[in-house]
Amino acid sequence: MATQIITLVGVLIGALTSYFATTMTERTKLRHLMATRWDERKLDTYIEYVSCIKEIQRAAMDAGRARDEGEDASAALALMEEAENKRSVLFETFVLLSDEKAAAAAHAVNQRAWELLRAARRPSNGAAPLRSIPLVETLNVLHEAARSDLTITGNAPASR
């Protein structure tokens, strides 16, 4: 009878060990899956946000160019405003998903984008004043912060 009890205790210990090992493995897999899922969402948000900033920049430059050439800039200004509305919404997601460094860099990009928007909205300004706003430099800082947040290593080319 003692050997049966020892055998039963051994089976019980084996079952518990197997259960805990499986549980720990599944938790680790779930944590990894969740981290990967959020990293994918972060990457998508970062790409959308930066693309939106580029749309604002392009439309503002087109508006300035149109004014310099004496043409109607309303279509470019409408595109710029549409991109700004989209940027505003994307920024909230960006801040929710990013780390502090990337969020701070995005705040700096917002400041430069707003300067660009103000300059493009003024009828007297042309493309030359718009070019003086250092948006590209702040975007480069944002790219670096986003790469760090996503733990992407290696050298990246500067944005254009």
Side-chain angles (χ1 to χ4, degrees), residues 21 30 35 41 46 48 52 73 88 98 104 109 120 126 133 140 154 158:
L30 181 61
R41 180 79 192 262
Y46 290 0
E48 283 184 74
C52 193
S88 178
S98 67
V109 168
I133 296 171
N140 287 339

Side-chain angles (χ1 to χ4, degrees), residues 26-61:
E26 290 301 316
R27 282 185 183 176
T28 302
K29 283 181 187 178
L30 181 61
R31 271 184 258 159
H32 183 276
L33 177 65
M34 294 303 286
T36 302
R37 187 173 117 200
W38 285 114
D39 281 350
E40 289 173 6
R41 180 79 192 262
K42 270 188 201 184
L43 178 61
D44 291 344
T45 299
Y46 290 0
I47 290 169
E48 283 184 74
Y49 177 79
V50 170
S51 296
C52 193
I53 292 293
K54 294 294 221 171
E55 288 174 26
I56 290 170
Q57 182 182 27
R58 217 171 289 117
M61 297 304 287

Side-chain angles (χ1 to χ4, degrees), residues 77-97:
L77 289 172
L79 287 173
M80 185 185 74
E81 295 299 333
E82 183 181 322
E84 166 55 15
N85 290 336
K86 183 179 167 187
R87 182 218 52 83
S88 178
V89 172
L90 284 171
F91 177 71
E92 298 305 321
T93 306
F94 189 106
V95 171
L96 286 171
L97 295 175

